[in-house]
C-alpha cells in the first residue's frame, strides 16, 4: 500500500507530491494534460495586488515557505526554476505616485513597497511619472517546472499519463483502491477539471480564463518585469511573455480574437516600440468566488481530499496549501477556516 494517489500534476499536484516525498511518503501521480493553466501561467510571485495597492493574503508566510520549497525542488530535478527579478509598477499620474506612498506607509505593505521612485529609462517605454518597485519578487518558470518534474516522476515510476476514472475508485475506511493501486489517501488536484469530479463538484470553483502572448520586440530593452494592467516579463533574446486577460464567461482553453485585441491594446499602453506576436496561449485558472483556495477532506469519505483553487497566484499558494493539507492529514493540524472547504457546506445535504 502506498500513501497517496494524487490526481492532477499542475502546480497543486506537484506541490503536494513534493511535500509528501520530502516527508518520506510514497505517491503515484495521475496526469492527462487536460488542464494547461499551470503550463502557460506567467509564474510571477508578487506580494502586492498592484491594481489596488493592497497586500496579498498571507504573503510573507507564503514567500518564506516557497523560497525553500523551490530551492529544494530545483536541486532534485537539477534544473533552476525560480528566478529573482524586480517588478516595477509603471505610474501614469502624480495621483498614482501618491497612492503608492500612502500604501507603503501601511505596516503590512511596508516590507514590499520601495519608497524610492525609479526614473530609469528603458528603451521602448515612455514613463514620465516613473515606476514603483515591488520587493521580494520573481517568477517560477512553470512550463519548465511541470515538464522537468514530470520527467522526474516518470524516471521513478511515480507518474501515470492517463485520465483518472472516478468510477473505478473504491473508498474504504482504511484507504482507497484504484485498479492495481492500494493507497491510504487520494488527493484531487485537477484544477478546473474539478467539475468532472463527483466527490467535489458541488464546490464553487468558478474558473477564470486568461490569455497570454509571447512577443518579440528587438527595440524593447528591459531587464525587469513591468506591470500595469498586464505584465511584461523578459525571457531573453528579445522575447517577452505578456499577460494576462480575465474572462469569467468563456471556460475553454482556446485563444480568442477578443483576448488578442485586449492584449495588444494593453501592450501599447506600456511600450512605444513595435512588437511581433510569436505565440498566443489561453487557459482557465482555477479560481474561487471568495479568492481563497479549496483545501480539505470530504465530509463523508475521510480518505478523500482536495487541493484546488490556487487561482492567479499558484506559485505562491501551492507550497503553503500543500503543507497545510499534508499537516492536516498526517498530524491533524487544523486548517485555516479561510481555506477549509467546510466553509461551503451544502445547505441542502449538509455535506461538501
Amino acid at each position: 500500500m502506498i500513501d497517496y494517489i494524487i490526481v492532477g500534476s499542475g502546480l497543486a499536484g506537484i506541490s503536494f507530491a513534493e511535500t509528501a516525498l520530502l516527508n518520506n511518503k510514497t505517491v503515484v501521480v495521475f496526469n492527462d494534460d487536460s488542464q494547461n493553466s499551470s503550463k502557460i501561467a506567467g509564474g510571477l510571485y508578487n506580494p502586492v495586488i498592484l491594481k489596488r495597492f493592497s497586500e496579498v493574503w498571507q504573503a510573507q508566510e507564503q514567500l518564506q515557505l516557497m523560497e525553500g520549497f523551490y530551492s529544494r525542488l530545483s536541486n532534485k530535478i537539477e534544473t533552476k526554476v525560480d528566478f529573482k527579478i524586480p517588478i516595477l509598477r509603471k505610474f501614469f499620474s502624480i495621483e498614482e505616485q501618491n497612492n503608492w506612498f500612502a500604501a507603503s506607509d501601511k505596516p503590512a505593505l511596508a516590507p514590499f513597497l520601495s519608497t524610492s521612485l525609479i526614473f530609469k529609462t528603458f528603451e521602448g517605454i515612455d514613463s514620465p511619472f516613473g515606476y514603483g518597485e515591488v520587493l521580494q519578487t520573481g517568477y517560477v518558470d512553470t512550463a519548465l517546472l511541470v515538464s522537468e518534474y514530470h520527467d522526474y516522476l516518470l524516471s521513478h515510476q511515480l507518474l501515470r499519463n492517463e485520465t483518472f476514472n472516478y468510477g473505478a475508485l473504491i473508498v474504504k475506511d482504511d484507504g482507497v483502491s484504484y485498479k492495481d493501486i492500494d493507497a491510504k489517501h487520494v488527493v484531487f488536484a485537477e484544477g478546473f477539471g474539478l467539475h468532472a469530479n463527483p466527490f467535489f463538484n458541488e464546490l464553487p470553483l468558478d474558473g477564470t480564463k486568461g490569455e497570454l502572448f509571447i512577443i518579440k520586440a528587438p527595440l524593447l530593452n528591459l531587464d525587469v518585469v513591468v506591470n500595469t494592467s498586464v505584465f511584461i516579463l523578459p525571457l531573453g533574446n528579445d522575447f517577452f511573455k505578456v499577460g494576462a486577460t480575465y474572462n469569467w464567461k468563456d471556460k475553454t482553453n482556446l485563444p480568442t480574437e477578443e483576448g488578442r485585441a485586449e492584449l495588444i491594446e494593453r501592450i501599447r499602453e506600456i511600450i512605444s516600440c513595435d512588437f511581433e506576436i510569436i505565440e498566443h496561449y489561453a487557459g482557465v485558472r482555477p479560481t474561487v468566488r471568495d479568492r481563497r483556495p479549496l483545501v480539505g477532506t470530504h465530509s463523508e469519505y475521510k480518505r478523500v481530499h482536495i487541493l484546488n483553487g490556487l487561482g492567479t497566484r499558484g506559485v505562491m499558494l501551492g507550497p503553503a496549501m500543500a503543507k497545510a493539507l499534508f499537516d492536516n492529514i498526517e498530524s491533524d493540524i487544523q486548517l485555516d477556516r479561510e481555506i477549509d472547504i467546510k466553509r461551503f457546506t451544502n445547505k441542502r445535504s449538509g455535506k461538501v
Side-chain angles (χ1 to χ4, degrees):
M1 176 180 281
I2 66 168
D3 292 299
Y4 289 98
I5 294 171
I6 301 168
V7 182
S9 61
L11 285 170
I14 287 173
S15 295
F16 193 86
E18 184 60 15
T19 299
L21 291 171
L22 285 170
N23 285 277
N24 299 313
K25 301 298 181 181
T26 48
V27 307
V28 170
V29 181
F30 282 81
N31 163 62
D32 68 359
D33 285 326
S34 62
Q35 305 300 315
N36 68 342
S37 62
S38 291
K39 294 179 184 178
I40 70 161
L44 295 175
Y45 50 89
N46 169 13
V48 181
I49 300 171
L50 290 174
K51 187 176 181 179
R52 301 187 294 274
F53 296 153
S54 56
E55 181 193 12
V56 170
W57 176 71
Q58 295 188 348
Q60 193 64 266
E61 297 92 328
Q62 292 169 26
L63 286 171
Q64 289 172 355
L65 187 64
M66 64 168 277
E67 179 83 23
F69 180 87
Y70 289 116
S71 175
R72 291 188 297 270
L73 194 152
S74 292
N75 289 334
K76 173 179 281 190
I77 62 177
E78 300 180 340
T79 305
K80 181 178 175 64
V81 296
D82 182 5
F83 301 88
K84 310 302 179 188
I85 188 170
I87 294 180
L88 304 186
R89 169 62 154 84
K90 178 181 173 178
F91 296 132
F92 291 88
S93 66
I94 296 294
E95 182 182 9
E96 284 194 338
Q97 292 178 353
N98 293 336
N99 291 341
W100 178 274
F101 284 120
S104 67
D105 283 337
K106 299 176 181 178
L109 288 170
F112 306 127
L113 298 181
S114 171
T115 54
S116 300
L117 297 187
I118 293 175
F119 287 94
K120 180 179 177 180
T121 299
F122 297 102
E123 186 179 347
I125 301 181
D126 297 324
S127 186
F129 297 101
Y131 308 87
E133 181 179 359
V134 187
L135 308 174
Q136 302 185 50
T137 60
Y139 76 97
V140 171
D141 188 330
T142 55
L144 182 63
L145 167 61
V146 170
S147 174
E148 293 296 318
Y149 199 77
H150 284 187
D151 287 347
Y152 171 83
L153 292 175
L154 271 174
S155 69
H156 290 78
Q157 297 181 315
L158 303 178
L159 182 69
R160 295 199 178 184
N161 286 310
E162 62 183 80
T163 298
F164 190 84
N165 178 5
Y166 302 105
L169 181 69
I170 301 171
V171 183
K172 298 169 284 190
D173 290 340
D174 60 347
V176 298
S177 294
Y178 182 77
K179 298 182 180 180
D180 60 326
I181 306 172
D182 292 317
K184 295 178 182 176
H185 304 273
V186 59
V187 174
F188 289 108
E190 316 106 310
F192 191 64
L194 174 73
H195 290 281
N197 185 324
F199 296 98
F200 294 111
N201 59 12
E202 289 188 358
L203 290 171
L205 188 77
D206 296 332
T208 308
K209 182 172 182 172
E211 301 188 45
L212 299 94
F213 285 162
I214 303 296
I215 65 170
K216 186 170 186 179
L219 298 181
L220 180 59
N221 183 17
L222 196 61
D223 58 357
V224 299
V225 176
V226 173
N227 194 315
T228 57
S229 56
V230 294
F231 65 82
I232 299 183
L233 167 66
L235 301 176
N237 298 318
D238 300 328
F239 291 100
F240 302 84
K241 180 180 283 188
V242 182
T245 62
Y246 292 83
N247 185 324
W248 289 268
K249 294 181 180 179
D250 184 357
K251 309 298 184 182
T252 71
N253 290 327
L254 301 175
T256 66
E257 284 302 316
E258 292 82 2
R260 180 186 179 91
E262 180 181 341
L263 281 174
I264 290 172
E265 180 182 355
R266 300 295 187 191
I267 294 169
R268 286 177 174 157
E269 290 175 355
I270 304 174
I271 70 176
S272 55
C273 60
D274 292 334
F275 60 90
E276 177 187 0
I277 300 168
I278 304 299
E279 299 282 355
H280 182 185
Y281 299 111
V284 181
R285 312 173 185 90
T287 53
V288 186
R289 64 189 180 207
D290 66 358
R291 300 183 180 181
R292 295 290 181 267
L294 299 172
V295 184
T297 298
H298 195 280
S299 60
E300 184 177 349
Y301 305 113
K302 302 306 180 186
R303 300 285 175 164
V304 179
H305 316 278
I306 184 172
L307 177 59
N308 208 315
L310 302 186
T312 61
R313 300 184 183 275
V315 296
M316 285 180 64
L317 280 169
M321 296 304 101
K323 182 179 187 301
L325 179 59
F326 183 85
D327 289 346
N328 177 252
I329 296 170
E330 297 290 340
S331 305
D332 201 27
I333 297 174
Q334 190 169 354
L335 290 169
D336 187 316
R337 290 176 62 185
E338 291 198 61
I339 66 172
D340 196 327
I341 58 172
K342 290 177 182 176
R343 70 192 190 273
F344 295 121
T345 298
N346 186 289
K347 294 180 180 179
R348 290 172 298 171
S349 66
K351 299 176 181 179
V352 295

